[in-house]
Amino acid sequence: MSTSNHPVGATYASAPTKTVTSGGTTYAYRELGPKGGIPVVFLVHLAANLDNWDPRIIDAIARNRHVITFDNVGVGASSGKVPDTIEAMAADAYTFISAFDFDTVDLFTFSMGGFIAQDLVLAHPGLVRKLVLTGTGPRGGKDIDKVAGLTYRDILRATLVRADPKEFLFFNRNAAGKTAAKEFIQRLHERTVDRDKTVGIGILRTQLDAIKKYGRSAPSDLSRITATTLIVNGDHDRMVPTPLSEDIRRRIPGSELIIYPDSGHGGIFQYHNIFTPIVGDFLGH
């Protein structure tokens, strides 16, 4: 293991990008918040790099917890080849976490990150204490294999109006959704220096292939998950259909479910002011 040595940033927009080498891969990551105790590791969504986390959520959690975000293998500033299965991404996430010798972590996940987390938790059941699954679904979940078609359609729609595709993919196209989308995209650009390497179309395609395989796989036994679990989504998630959040809640013992009204895949971003104190209480100190 090797790590670069920088101070922990006061806000996510200013947190320095570091590197750690583990298992032959150099991972780019950022951290902030008080060190010590159990860290909160963030697992990011499809075609996303370090710059794609909402700073309002990161900063709120980092007030009390040591937060770590990282680029998946082959994405952004991390080295290696992008995996074409969710299982491999989960193994890579474990390799990254192992670099720090943490005995226990909490996981905060969104969308594809939630797919990865489920495989990670099942493969390493003693590693994760608390699990936050947002905008996500189970292996073999109905219509997850259709994410690729929807993604390409919304990229085209966004291109035609010169918008960020996330405005279409993450938010409803009504007044409330459009406002929330614009505000979210603005927050993602608060960081003006040391921004991450852009995610190209090749990465998107490979990860979409992995998601299709995940959606067409046999279901996992989620009843084996012992981590205390919070599940959150909007009531109109088009990417990973909202009923799949209820499916996960039924299958993970003792899990809790929050559904935000009049919101889509990015419900946690639209309702960040309400969500952050709730998730902060859930994760604790």
Side-chain angles (χ1 to χ4, degrees):
M1 181 187 94
S2 66
T3 61
S4 56
N5 189 18
H6 295 284
V8 176
T11 66
Y12 193 61
S14 61
T17 302
K18 308 180 181 185
T19 59
V20 60
T21 300
S22 182
T25 297
T26 298
Y27 295 84
Y29 73 100
R30 295 176 189 154
E31 64 177 340
L32 68 160
K35 287 192 174 183
I38 296 172
V40 184
V41 179
F42 281 60
L43 302 181
V44 78
H45 62 83
L46 168 72
N49 62 21
L50 292 167
D51 295 333
N52 285 112
W53 283 114
D54 190 336
R56 296 299 176 275
I57 291 176
I58 299 275
D59 291 349
I61 294 174
R63 280 196 282 271
N64 296 308
R65 299 293 302 277
H66 179 197
V67 165
I68 302 173
T69 65
F70 71 100
D71 278 334
N72 291 323
V73 170
V75 180
S78 287
S79 69
K81 181 180 178 181
V82 179
D84 62 358
T85 68
I86 297 298
E87 299 98 315
M89 294 180 202
D92 291 337
Y94 181 73
T95 299
F96 170 76
I97 292 168
S98 298
F100 299 90
D101 297 322
F102 295 130
D103 294 326
T104 307
V105 299
D106 292 342
L107 293 180
F108 184 107
T109 75
F110 175 58
S111 194
M112 188 183 76
F115 305 161
I116 296 168
Q118 292 170 63
D119 280 2
L120 175 61
V121 171
L122 290 170
H124 304 279
L127 178 65
V128 178
R129 181 189 67 153
K130 292 189 176 182
L131 175 62
V132 182
L133 297 171
T134 71
T136 197
R139 178 176 287 278
K142 185 177 185 298
D143 291 338
I144 287 178
D145 62 344
K146 297 179 182 177
V147 167
L150 187 150
T151 299
Y152 287 129
R153 285 194 299 274
D154 277 0
I155 289 174
L156 177 59
R157 291 170 68 197
T159 301
L160 292 174
V161 295
R162 297 184 179 180
D164 189 303
K166 290 185 285 295
E167 295 185 37
F168 290 81
L169 291 164
F170 290 6
F171 299 90
N172 292 342
R173 299 305 292 164
N174 57 16
K178 289 179 180 179
T179 298
K182 295 292 185 186
E183 292 174 350
F184 171 68
I185 299 302
Q186 287 175 356
R187 295 196 298 272
L188 295 187
H189 287 90
E190 289 176 355
R191 185 184 187 93
T192 56
V193 296
D194 186 29
R195 289 186 64 84
D196 204 356
K197 182 180 177 182
T198 301
V199 176
I201 190 69
I203 293 171
L204 172 68
R205 287 174 175 158
T206 301
Q207 291 185 343
L208 284 172
D209 286 344
I211 291 172
K212 183 178 291 187
K213 294 172 188 174
Y214 177 87
R216 293 179 178 176
S217 296
S220 299
D221 182 5
L222 300 185
S223 69
R224 292 171 44 219
I225 293 179
T226 58
T228 305
T229 303
L230 175 65
I231 304 155
V232 189
N233 209 342
D235 66 350
H236 189 63
D237 187 342
R238 295 166 53 247
M239 287 199 78
V240 186
T242 302
L244 295 178
S245 292
E246 175 61 34
D247 184 17
I248 296 175
R249 187 204 63 78
R250 287 193 301 267
R251 293 164 60 187
I252 298 180
S255 58
E256 303 174 51
L257 174 65
I258 298 172
I259 299 293
Y260 287 118
D262 192 28
S263 59
H265 191 56
I268 61 168
F269 309 129
Q270 183 168 335
Y271 285 92
H272 65 89
N273 286 330
I274 298 171
F275 172 66
T276 50
I278 291 171
V279 75
D281 287 344
F282 173 79
L283 290 169
H285 292 274

